[in-house]
Structures are given as C-alpha cells and as structure tokens.
Amino acid sequence: GRWFQRSGGEAVVSTQSTGNGELMAVCNGEKTIVYNITADTVVATLDRPRTMLMVFSPLNTHLVTWRQYVIDENTPENTPNVEIWNIAQPEVPVYSFVKRGQSQWEPEWSEDEGVCMRACNAELQFFENNDFKSVAKRLQRDKIGGGYMAPGSGNYHVGLYVPSLKGAHAYVQLYQYGAFERTAAIAHRSFAKCDTVMMNFNKSGRYGIIQAASDVDKSGTSYYGQTLLYFITTGGESNQIVLNKNGPVYSVEWNPSRDEFIVLYGFMPCRATLFNTKCDPIHQFGDGHYN
C-alpha cells in the first residue's frame, strides 16, 4: 500500500510493470518511482509528478514516460513530454522528444535491445545498442502513419504503415532492418480504404498480423466501422484472414509459445477462432460473451 499513496493520501496517477514482474513503475502525483518488487527496494526516482503513460524496454534497462503536452508559464512551447530513462542512471533522461498525442507515442525495441525505433511524421528513426546520442538509421517517406519493430533478435525486421496520400492507397510494407529503399520491401499489402492500422508480430518476429480499420463500414451493417485482417511474413507472403462472422474485430493475440493466433470477432455474442500460420481455422471455441 505504501507504494500507491502520496503524502496527501491520494491514489496514484499511473503504474506499469515489466513483463517478468520484477520491476514496477509508479507515478504517485509527486514523483515517478521504479521499484524492484522481489527485493522490495527503490531502483530509481524520477522528478516527474505528471507521468500518465509508461513502458519498459524488453530487457528492463530503460523506462519511457509520457506526460500530457502543455504550454504554460513554466513550460515553453516544444518542451519534450516523452522521455527515455536509463534505470541504472536515472538522474536525467537519455533522450526526449515531443509527442502531443498518444498514438504511437512509445518507442519500440527489438527483443535484445539492439535497435530502438521511434515514429515521426515523415520518418522512422533508429538507435542502436541504446546509444541515443545520434540516429543510426532512418526510414523516410512523404508521410508515415506508424512503424512496428518485430521482436526478434539479430536479424531485425520493421513494419511500415503509410496512410492514403493524394488518392493513393494506404499500404503496409515489411523491411529487413537497414535495407529501407522503396524497392527493397520484403512484403507489401495495400488497402483501398483504411483509417488506422495495427500490427502484431509473433514472438519470433517471423509472422505479423495487420489490422486495417476504417471508421465507416460502407455496407452499413456495422456501427463500429470495418476491420480487415491480413497475414504477412518475412518470407514475403501476404494473405487476407477470412472471418466467418460479420462484425467488429475485438482482439487478436498470438500464442506465446506456438505459431498460432486467436481472433475474437463478430457481433455479440462474438466468435473465438484459433488459426495456424496458413490462416486456416484449426479450432472454434464457439460464440460467447468473451472479454
């Protein structure tokens, strides 16, 4: 309980724990504090009372914090609101930048932290081996809607989303890290109508699922718009995932230990289907009010 109270007795602003449960970051409205749960010790204390969002790097060496972008008498315009902290040396952030909204606010690391990527309006910036003093590589386009770092180690891959521009179709491309020429894309999938894209890789980073969502369903059957799913691989394959029930897509998750994924979709009661990497349904869990 002592971690989740500040001096005035009010509840915390935000929390975030590492994937292995070893560390937890807590913003208590006065400071942002990183605790070692197993050792019951304070690992780092950051002078950031307004932290709203946080994420740890895969090996728990760095913490990224996001606070609301504001301009006031104490905060000049373009004051960075996203900061990357080295947990072992938390006196000052090792890197910071402005990200006014929460869409793609957090940098993404490869699983071994060999590469860290952040998305800007017209480029993806890459840093290597947690050296944030200079940008190691850039992927530049006229406009970029998002970047997705595959979680594998060593042989890195990067997903790129380019929104519709001047009437051209939106598209997602997959690249091997460093080979970012337009003609070097390993795989490509374009969309006639798409407002937002999410990309979800499996643990090895070999397979990815694209969720391409439009705000309006032209058929008029769904208040939620329309979401189409596509399967993309580092081997160059790209296929649409066929769902056998109309309605929104609620969730797509990979099995953490096997190359298979589950999709929750369709009007309530929704349907749960397990797919293999050929995009074939291999098990139906039936319809129900899943959460």
Side-chain angles (χ1 to χ4, degrees):
R2 60 186 176 85
W3 295 352
F4 300 93
Q5 298 291 326
R6 64 183 188 183
S7 58
E10 298 181 36
V12 299
V13 177
S14 59
T15 65
Q16 179 65 46
S17 59
T18 56
N20 64 0
E22 180 182 357
L23 302 180
M24 174 175 281
V26 177
C27 178
N28 61 11
E30 294 176 341
K31 296 179 180 179
T32 299
I33 305 171
V34 180
Y35 297 95
N36 185 310
I37 303 296
T38 55
D40 194 23
T41 57
V42 173
V43 177
T45 301
L46 316 177
D47 185 22
R48 292 294 181 270
R50 297 187 294 109
T51 300
M52 297 178 64
L53 300 171
M54 296 178 280
V55 64
F56 284 95
S57 63
L59 300 180
N60 305 339
T61 63
H62 289 71
L63 176 71
V64 190
T65 60
W66 183 94
R67 50 184 170 165
Q68 190 74 44
Y69 179 80
V70 296
I71 303 173
D72 57 31
E73 62 273 12
N74 299 317
T75 313
E77 187 177 5
N78 292 324
T79 297
N81 63 317
V82 179
E83 296 168 306
I84 302 177
W85 307 81
N86 183 336
I87 295 173
Q89 298 175 307
E91 292 78 17
V92 294
V94 295
Y95 190 71
S96 59
F97 55 93
V98 173
K99 195 72 171 181
R100 304 191 183 201
Q102 295 182 8
S103 175
Q104 282 248 308
W105 71 271
E106 71 274 30
E108 293 189 12
W109 274 268
S110 60
E111 196 170 48
D112 60 0
E113 296 192 11
V115 176
C116 177
M117 175 200 72
R118 85 173 186 98
C120 306
N121 286 333
E123 69 177 15
L124 302 179
Q125 297 180 352
F126 299 89
F127 305 87
E128 296 180 351
N129 301 314
N130 286 324
D131 179 3
F132 296 97
K133 294 184 178 64
S134 62
V135 177
K137 290 181 173 60
R138 302 174 190 268
L139 194 167
Q140 297 176 322
R141 297 293 183 267
D142 292 337
K143 185 174 179 60
I144 286 180
Y148 313 91
M149 193 80 207
S153 299
N155 187 21
Y156 309 118
H157 290 88
V158 178
L160 167 72
Y161 165 52
V162 174
S164 176
L165 192 64
K166 298 178 181 178
H169 286 184
Y171 62 85
V172 167
Q173 291 179 324
L174 191 62
Y175 290 89
Q176 186 160 353
Y177 176 67
F180 294 143
E181 299 82 8
R182 293 175 187 266
T183 56
I186 298 170
H188 177 99
R189 171 61 69 169
S190 60
F191 318 101
K193 175 60 178 172
C194 176
D195 295 302
T196 59
V197 160
M198 294 174 59
M199 195 166 181
N200 187 358
F201 286 98
N202 73 328
K203 186 173 177 61
S204 70
R206 182 181 175 187
Y207 305 115
I209 297 172
I210 302 166
Q211 299 180 59
S214 55
D215 296 335
V216 177
D217 181 0
K218 291 185 177 180
S219 68
T221 61
S222 175
Y223 168 82
Y224 299 97
Q226 184 181 40
T227 300
L228 298 177
L229 299 183
Y230 300 91
F231 186 82
I232 198 167
T233 79
T234 56
E237 299 174 45
S238 174
N239 302 299
Q240 185 170 353
I241 301 169
V242 179
L243 304 177
N244 59 9
K245 186 175 184 179
N246 291 331
V249 174
Y250 304 104
S251 182
V252 180
E253 295 294 337
W254 283 97
N255 184 329
S257 58
R258 299 180 63 178
D259 288 336
E260 57 190 24
F261 59 93
I262 190 169
V263 183
L264 301 184
Y265 62 98
F267 296 114
M268 285 294 177
C270 75
R271 184 163 297 172
T273 303
L274 188 67
F275 293 86
N276 61 19
T277 53
K278 295 181 180 179
C279 301
D280 297 326
I282 56 176
H283 186 77
Q284 295 286 357
F285 293 94
D287 295 4
H289 295 278
Y290 300 109
N291 188 351

